[in-house]
Amino acid sequence: MVKSTTKSLIAVGLLSASAMAQAGLSANIGASSEYYFRGYDLSEGPMMSGGLDYEADNGLYAGVWVAGFENPTDASDPATSDDNELEYDIYGGYAGEFGDISYSVGYTGYFYKEADISFHEINFNFGYEFLSLEATFGTEDDDTSADATDDDYTFIALTGEYEGAYLTLGTYGKDYDGDYAELGYGTSFQGLDFGVAYVSTDSDIDSDGMYFTIGKSFDL
């Protein structure tokens, strides 16, 4: 993804863990050593988050997710280097299963208090056994200046999972550009979810690194 400023980079956003195990209302809290999303390291240090999800018996779902983090240091834009960012996401759609095949279609909106940028996406997800495919079509709405123009983008990712380990290969298209791979492992212990992952990117993204996560979900 080609971006010129730190403000634009952090505005890529994060869709929280929206795969709900059963119908009903649930909440989640979490923390990450770095804020990685779709190959980008979007924070200067840790990120804290929390969310609320609802899934109906007929497959409809909706949720909200909020995160707080510090913007990455940007020597070319010192006025924004120390900003604390507040992100909130809203999403909803429909998810279903047919035998070993799972699928979902939905909308995700990402909004930022400091950056004054929002993202709006239509997301398609398909899964079969240990493989899943994400296809996203989005628009960046930049309100930072009167002459700012919107960018359209696509994002495609293929993920394979095996006993807690996963490998994701992702690529951007249209007005954005970049590819990355993420290798990670997640497990649960004493009611907590733990994860570790390493991200490898090309020169268009250029944010290789490792991060750790911890989280917990609650049925309400």
Side-chain angles (χ1 to χ4, degrees), residues 44-112:
E44 185 75 20
M47 179 267 289
M48 303 292 293
S49 66
L52 190 67
D53 295 301
Y54 178 76
E55 184 177 15
D57 290 326
N58 60 6
L60 294 175
Y61 68 87
V64 60
W65 186 84
V66 179
F69 55 95
E70 184 177 329
N71 293 346
T73 301
D74 184 359
S76 66
D77 190 8
T80 65
S81 296
D82 297 326
D83 286 346
N84 291 318
E85 184 62 84
L86 178 67
E87 171 189 345
Y88 62 97
D89 306 340
I90 58 173
Y91 47 91
Y94 174 81
E97 295 181 349
F98 183 77
D100 293 332
I101 299 173
S102 61
Y103 56 89
S104 67
V105 58
Y107 160 82
T108 307
Y110 310 90
F111 304 89
Y112 299 85

Side-chain angles (χ1 to χ4, degrees), residues 33-193:
S33 60
E34 292 283 338
Y35 185 173
Y36 271 93
F37 179 60
R38 292 177 179 168
Y40 279 97
D41 183 1
L42 307 179
S43 69
E44 185 75 20
M47 179 267 289
M48 303 292 293
S49 66
L52 190 67
D53 295 301
Y54 178 76
E55 184 177 15
D57 290 326
N58 60 6
L60 294 175
Y61 68 87
V64 60
W65 186 84
V66 179
F69 55 95
E70 184 177 329
N71 293 346
T73 301
D74 184 359
S76 66
D77 190 8
T80 65
S81 296
D82 297 326
D83 286 346
N84 291 318
E85 184 62 84
L86 178 67
E87 171 189 345
Y88 62 97
D89 306 340
I90 58 173
Y91 47 91
Y94 174 81
E97 295 181 349
F98 183 77
D100 293 332
I101 299 173
S102 61
Y103 56 89
S104 67
V105 58
Y107 160 82
T108 307
Y110 310 90
F111 304 89
Y112 299 85
K113 181 177 182 296
E114 298 296 331
D116 202 18
I117 296 175
S118 61
F119 288 73
H120 305 273
E121 298 182 348
I122 299 298
N123 313 107
F124 299 90
N125 290 275
F126 306 92
Y128 178 73
E129 294 184 348
F130 63 91
L131 290 175
S132 60
L133 176 68
E134 174 188 353
T136 286
F137 303 86
T139 297
E140 174 189 349
D141 186 4
D142 187 347
D143 297 325
T144 56
S145 63
D147 59 350
T149 58
D150 295 344
D151 286 335
D152 295 325
Y153 61 93
T154 62
F155 175 73
I156 306 295
L158 180 66
T159 299
E161 301 178 71
Y162 180 72
E163 295 186 353
Y166 70 90
L167 173 64
T168 297
L169 304 176
T171 185
Y172 294 90
K174 298 189 76 172
D175 292 330
Y176 294 177
D177 193 17
D179 305 289
Y180 79 96
E182 180 172 327
L183 179 64
Y185 177 77
T187 188
S188 296
F189 180 73
Q190 297 294 316
L192 297 175
D193 299 319

